[in-house]
Amino acid sequence: MITVYNHQHALHQGQFEMFRGQLVPCFEVPARADYVLQELQRRQFGTVQAPQDSGLAPIARIHSGRYLEFLASAWNEWVALDPANAARDALPSVWPVRSFRADVLPANFSARMGLFSYDAGTPLTSGTWAAAYAGAQCAVTAAQLVSGGARSAFALTRPPGHHAGADFFGGYCFLNNAAIAAQTLRDAGVAKVAVLDIDYHHGNGTQACFYDRADVFFASVHGDPHTEYPFYLGYADETGVGAGLGHNLNLPLPRGTGFARWREALALALQRIAHSGAQALVVSLGLDTFEGDPISGFQLRSEDYLRVGADLAAAGLPTVFVFEGGYAVEEVGTNAVNVLDGFAQDAA
């Protein structure tokens, strides 16, 4: 399996985030990807390459123009407000909610930042755009490898992406790498693509990108949004709208769920993906389902991830893996590579 690695991911390194009412050091740190890369190298698992730069076009197939313009210019605008901001991350502080207008683009920077975000836990830094852009290119390159005939490829990048929508960021995510990979597969001629999100947190951004479409089936196994982030999407009754009706599957599970019950939900998701007629699969690979994760609540163990990989391989679909969550940093490399290893062994 080829790994497409974002060598620029460490340019995005937030200082603080708002978490459960407190300003705390960021959980989403560069070491997350570093540990995965080290484990890939230690186990001599496949080859690692840099992404090809395909420009903004494949990113703009998912994200709106005004949103991309904001992300690309936001840091310079932030520093222009006050030179001292160069030492401070930018966090949003005001948001439009029900009955507020979102069609007008405010001139005020804080207002625009709030327009394009939904939480105060996703700091924007001097290197955010460069890191996120390079990460999106990893997703595009991995999808191109698979559409070109590879059985699988792994986009190893951060910041993650599955919480980002067409015109909003949050949940540590700015560009939706899984959605970009899925769209790249579609644009390469794959008639029906499935996105399977196995992160602890529901992939609200990915769902929003494809909710009214029949050509991309979205399935997610995640913590119950009654109690778990992102709270406002991820319920079982969300099945799609319009042409997308029946093409969205949410399988929320309670905090404390162990591997046996979680695996049953995965089997149901894969069954529905098979019935959807998907010809390729994108996996949002979150490892925050691990029992030792500091901000999540499932009970998977490291050895379980080998079986997860085997189950995914048994679907028999060309597969793009996209790195998402996982905040037990020292274990995230082992857990991620276990999924890939289980997949490769079963696929062989």
Side-chain angles (χ1 to χ4, degrees):
M1 185 184 302
I2 294 176
T3 293
V4 186
Y5 175 63
N6 180 2
H7 292 273
Q8 299 191 68
H9 76 85
L11 294 175
H12 172 75
Q13 186 167 356
Q15 299 177 64
F16 297 100
E17 64 176 88
M18 186 65 70
F19 180 72
R20 298 173 184 169
Q22 298 184 65
L23 203 60
V24 301
C26 290
F27 289 100
E28 203 289 303
V29 295
R32 297 175 58 243
D34 295 339
Y35 273 106
V36 178
L37 180 64
Q38 290 168 19
E39 187 68 9
L40 287 167
Q41 294 169 335
R42 187 186 72 81
R43 289 159 68 167
Q44 299 181 339
F45 189 87
T47 60
V48 178
Q49 70 174 56
Q52 297 290 321
D53 190 341
S54 296
L56 272 176
I59 303 173
R61 295 283 286 140
I62 292 295
H63 295 285
S64 74
R66 70 176 191 168
Y67 174 65
L68 294 175
E69 289 173 7
F70 172 78
L71 285 184
S73 64
W75 182 255
N76 288 339
E77 291 189 62
W78 172 241
V79 175
L81 290 173
D82 180 351
N85 283 347
R88 297 191 286 254
D89 295 346
L91 282 170
S93 59
V94 59
W95 297 268
V97 293
R98 291 167 297 280
S99 82
F100 282 44
R101 292 186 65 174
D103 59 316
V104 178
L105 192 63
N108 179 275
F109 175 81
S110 294
R112 275 183 289 121
M113 191 173 196
L115 179 66
F116 293 125
S117 69
Y118 70 88
D119 69 20
T122 308
L124 193 149
T125 77
S126 61
T128 296
W129 172 248
Y133 176 88
Q137 301 304 328
C138 289
V140 172
T141 301
Q144 290 172 337
L145 288 168
V146 168
S147 66
R151 175 69 171 86
S152 60
F154 176 37
L156 175 53
T157 183
R158 51 166 299 282
H162 70 148
H163 293 306
D167 59 357
F168 60 81
F169 67 88
Y172 311 144
C173 303
F174 297 91
L175 297 177
N176 194 312
N177 301 312
I180 291 167
Q183 186 63 54
T184 299
L185 290 167
R186 283 286 297 113
D187 291 342
V190 180
K192 183 70 175 282
V193 177
V195 180
L196 173 59
D197 195 316
I198 58 173
D199 193 279
Y200 180 78
H201 304 95
H202 177 254
N204 59 296
T206 313
Q207 174 175 303
C209 288
F210 299 120
Y211 201 59
D212 61 353
R213 289 173 53 171
D215 58 335
V216 178
F217 184 91
F218 176 70
S220 180
V221 181
H222 54 271
D224 189 339
H226 282 98
T227 59
E228 309 304 318
Y229 186 93
F231 305 113
Y232 306 112
L233 279 182
Y235 294 91
D237 63 351
E238 297 160 11
T239 60
V241 295
L245 186 63
H247 296 272
N248 196 89
L249 174 67
N250 287 327
L251 298 169
L253 299 170
R255 177 172 281 264
T257 294
F259 182 54
R261 176 67 188 92
W262 186 92
R263 197 180 187 194
E264 290 175 0
L266 176 65
L268 176 57
L270 290 170
Q271 182 183 64
R272 287 287 302 277
I273 286 169
H275 290 165
S276 78
Q279 298 169 344
L281 176 65
V282 176
V283 176
S284 272
L285 183 58
L287 292 312
D288 45 2
T289 51
F290 178 59
E291 61 182 355
D293 196 274
I295 62 174
S296 303
F298 289 163
Q299 298 298 315
L300 276 66
R301 299 178 177 179
S302 291
E303 58 267 27
D304 295 331
Y305 292 107
L306 289 163
R307 282 177 282 175
V308 172
D311 290 348
L312 295 172
L317 296 172
T319 301
V320 178
F321 291 92
V322 178
F323 187 56
E324 300 282 6
Y327 308 99
V329 175
E330 293 185 5
E331 293 88 355
V332 72
T334 296
N335 296 339
V337 180
N338 277 0
V339 174
L340 304 179
D341 195 5
F343 182 95
Q345 290 184 37
D346 192 272

